[in-house]
Amino acid sequence: MKILLVNPPRSPVNSILEYAPPEAKHFIHKKLIGPPLGLITIAAAVKDFDVQLIDLKGEYDLHPDAPPLKELIGRYLTEFKPDIVGVTFIASEFYFGCEIFREAKKFNPEILTVAGGLHTVLSLQDFNLPEVDVVCPGQSAGMFREVALAHSQHKSFDHIGGLYLNTAEGLRPNQAPVKPWNAARENFIMPDRSLLKRWISTYIVGGRPIPATYLFTSLGCPYECSFCSIWPQFDKHFYQRRLESIIEELKQLDDYKIVRFADANTIVDVDFISRLVDRILEEGIEKEFVMDIRFDTTVKHPWLIEKMAKAGLKVVICGFESFRDEELKKYHKDSSASLIEEAINIFDRNGIMLRGNYVIPNDYTEDDFEAMSDYASAHRVVYAGYTILTPMPGTVFYKEVEHDIIDHDLMKYNFFNSVLKTTLPIEKFYESVGRLWLIKKGTDVI
Ligand code: B12
């Protein structure tokens, strides 16, 4: 039996870029790069079947003039003739994922279409569509394996708990009990990066010629920022991976010199990370690490940052979110802006390049932009990101502003577009956000 797994293309809708002053355009995020970690995990779970994985983000990076999605996916379907097509979903790529399923059904109505990924957890109701046969929400590698096994034996899926099936009455949950599955610990599956060889040259960051990969040391997050999708995805749980399993994965990454940790926050368990660093040094693992670390954690444990720098920590991504405590409070950030400066100093001292990210709310006035600009200019970091506070479906912030949303086009839910009414005229708002991207120390883009 043949399984085709597809990573959909990126949403091209980026209003900050569109309206930004020309001199700022170079610095604005156009695309994030990286391998689809979820999909290569799913692929590894069914590796005894004939599996093909297509990274369409990588494919369009490799060949920007490749044909449009319908045609491109049509080619893969004709070549591979899959029995199952699986797609990974986040909000902004939802329509592309559905288009892939529709093409699969058009090519052969017998193909089983299976949806998985973050958006299936946070917005399950969106998948009540004729082109979707099965939805596997959550960390569903085990569930997907059971689907593949049952399908290959022409059996029903009724025994697979946690699964949603599209029936004549719409999307319905299976009644079977859900089996416990801890994707970070006892059920961890080593991702199969061998399926990504074709696109490896596209996984590059900051103009460096060497490829980067992602791995996670934890899943979920103990914090509850109102705009974030990660803690709702994991129902507030935080799962730390086993230390030796991380070391084992790091040792397999010969093709990748740069390793980005895909955690929401890498330092949650301080002792664990300290031991992880000891083991990285002990094993002589030489990588350049990119991690997400909170600014308050940094200020609390500067010794750990110093230790991590010695083990190869090169770039840190830090959600500053705002320079105002009242905004941080509104976002449930659980931290004070007064700590940002000290965190910047700690990273500087340790030669770590910092990417500080601010989120800009829709109600910013000219005065707010000026205050933001003054603050960011006085607190420059190597790379700075200024994105738009966006009510991602399934988040607390979405519930807070649900009735004020004026744009439900999911393509715009990628932090680069406002889906709420702005106080400033919309073009002026985007232009002002775009201009902020000029405020940073470095000249490079990541
Ligand atoms: C790695 C990553 C990426 C990678 C790879 C994603 C890809 N598909 O190509 C790259 C770098 C490309 C990426 C890009 C973007 N990302 Co991203 N990314 C992440 C990150 C850091 C980790 C996700 C991950 O790998 N988790 C670990 C894996 C194992 O879990 P998983 O993906 O959930 O997969 C499991 C299950 O969901 C399930 N599953 C997943 N897919 C499938 C498919 C099938 C068929 C089945 C059965 C099961 C299944 O099984 C998997 C194994 O257990 C998360 C943040 C986080 N810490 O979670 C953000 C995150 C997912 N990204 C996000 C966003 C917004 C983006 C961007 C739009 C950002 C931007 N503004 O540019 C871009 C999209 C494209 C672009 N414009 O460049 C948001 C999504 C928000 C939302 N509600 O939609 C997140 C949550 C970040 C955040 N804090 O908000 N991203």
Side-chain angles (χ1 to χ4, degrees):
M1 195 185 62
K2 294 180 175 184
I3 303 173
L4 179 67
L5 296 173
V6 189
N7 188 22
R10 306 178 179 94
S11 160
V13 190
N14 185 334
S15 305
I16 301 181
L17 183 66
E18 193 181 333
Y19 292 97
E23 65 276 21
K25 286 190 195 276
H26 171 67
F27 301 113
I28 294 168
H29 238 163
K30 288 151 201 88
K31 56 185 187 193
L32 266 184
I33 66 92
L37 192 50
L39 267 195
I40 53 178
T41 304
I42 296 301
V46 290
K47 61 171 172 250
D48 44 337
F49 292 100
D50 188 356
V51 184
Q52 194 181 11
L53 192 152
I54 312 293
D55 181 359
L56 290 178
K57 294 183 183 71
E59 192 58 29
Y60 282 113
D61 286 345
L62 211 53
H63 300 292
D65 53 350
L69 180 58
K70 269 189 189 146
E71 200 183 321
L72 191 57
I73 201 70
R75 282 188 197 173
Y76 289 118
L77 292 165
T78 313
E79 244 170 58
F80 190 57
K81 300 190 179 51
D83 301 288
I84 297 180
V85 171
V87 173
T88 187
F89 282 88
I90 61 170
S92 59
E93 295 161 8
F94 175 74
Y95 303 127
F96 284 145
C98 294
E99 195 172 330
I100 292 164
F101 282 161
R102 282 195 301 277
E103 285 311 300
K105 287 288 183 195
K106 225 191 302 169
F107 176 75
N108 175 5
E110 295 299 307
I111 289 178
L112 183 79
T113 54
V114 185
L118 177 81
H119 196 67
T120 65
V121 182
L122 297 187
S123 239
L124 183 70
Q125 69 286 356
D126 288 358
F127 294 85
N128 201 347
L129 296 168
E131 61 266 37
V132 182
D133 291 324
V134 177
V135 185
C136 294
Q139 297 298 305
S140 49
M143 212 190 280
F144 184 62
R145 179 165 177 78
E146 290 197 55
V147 169
L149 281 171
H151 196 61
S152 69
Q153 295 160 6
H154 308 286
K155 288 188 182 153
S156 91
F157 300 135
D158 294 347
H159 61 290
I160 311 173
L163 199 72
Y164 284 73
L165 291 176
N166 223 336
T167 66
E169 292 82 44
L171 207 55
R172 292 286 176 273
N174 261 354
Q175 294 310 315
V178 182
K179 284 188 194 156
W181 185 269
N182 187 336
R185 295 186 75 85
E186 57 273 20
N187 303 112
F188 174 77
I189 295 173
M190 198 60 82
D192 183 357
R193 292 181 177 77
S194 69
L195 296 163
L196 299 171
K197 286 233 170 340
R198 175 177 168 83
W199 304 284
I200 192 165
S201 64
T202 70
Y203 303 140
I204 45 164
V205 274
R208 304 284 306 279
I210 43 176
T213 193
Y214 278 60
L215 73 68
F216 71 83
T217 71
S218 61
L219 292 172
C221 185
Y223 298 93
E224 296 179 18
C225 301
S226 63
F227 51 77
C228 186
S229 307
I230 302 169
W231 65 268
Q233 181 189 8
F234 291 91
D235 205 13
K236 302 185 186 177
H237 293 292
F238 174 76
Y239 304 97
Q240 187 82 67
R241 208 171 135 191
R242 291 200 166 105
L243 203 155
E244 287 313 315
S245 154
I246 302 169
I247 295 293
E248 189 192 334
E249 187 169 359
L250 282 169
K251 283 170 146 181
Q252 292 178 10
L253 303 181
D254 290 340
D255 290 340
Y256 305 92
K257 173 88 177 132
I258 302 174
V259 179
R260 160 130 197 226
F261 286 13
D263 314 316
N265 283 305
T266 292
I267 307 178
V268 171
D269 181 338
V270 171
D271 183 51
F272 179 90
I273 296 300
S274 176
R275 280 185 289 126
L276 176 64
V277 172
D278 289 337
R279 290 288 295 123
I280 288 173
L281 291 167
E282 243 168 62
E283 291 288 338
I285 295 168
E286 285 184 19
K287 303 280 182 206
E288 293 176 18
F289 294 108
V290 182
M291 300 180 195
D292 283 68
I293 299 177
R294 285 173 62 102
F295 59 83
D296 52 357
T297 308
T298 305
V299 172
K300 213 164 160 192
H301 309 285
W303 61 273
L304 185 54
I305 304 299
E306 193 182 327
K307 187 169 171 179
M308 291 165 91
K310 286 184 184 135
L313 179 56
K314 284 279 180 301
V315 178
V316 164
I317 296 148
C318 204
F320 293 163
E321 330 301 3
S322 174
F323 59 103
R324 289 178 174 143
D325 277 347
E326 64 271 24
E327 279 171 0
L328 292 181
K329 204 163 166 208
K330 216 159 59 184
Y331 306 155
H332 307 173
K333 179 75 184 178
D334 207 12
S335 196
S336 165
S338 61
L339 302 176
I340 294 176
E341 187 168 307
E342 177 60 9
I344 294 175
N345 291 339
I346 294 170
F347 290 123
D348 273 355
R349 261 202 321 267
N350 288 289
I352 292 167
M353 291 188 281
L354 183 57
R355 178 180 173 104
N357 284 331
Y358 296 93
V359 288
I360 309 297
N362 57 308
D363 60 0
Y364 261 24
T365 59
E366 287 200 41
D367 288 348
D368 292 317
F369 274 107
E370 211 180 303
M372 169 80 251
S373 170
D374 288 347
Y375 181 87
S377 302
H379 297 85
R380 282 179 196 261
V381 289
V382 178
Y383 314 103
Y386 306 85
T387 51
I388 295 172
L389 180 65
T390 305
M392 289 291 175
T395 60
V396 165
F397 183 49
Y398 184 92
K399 285 191 200 94
E400 281 170 13
V401 297
E402 196 173 356
H403 301 295
D404 301 325
I405 295 177
I406 54 167
D407 199 332
H408 292 275
D409 176 357
L410 286 177
M411 286 259 206
K412 297 190 176 139
Y413 287 68
N414 60 358
F415 307 129
F416 285 92
N417 308 284
S418 182
V419 297
L420 295 162
K421 195 169 167 5
T422 51
T423 302
L424 285 178
I426 189 78
E427 294 83 0
K428 176 82 188 148
F429 176 78
Y430 288 138
E431 198 245 3
S432 306
V433 180
R435 189 177 298 282
L436 290 171
W437 285 77
L438 286 164
I439 309 171
K440 60 195 185 58
K441 258 197 246 169
T443 52
D444 225 334
V445 196
I446 54 161

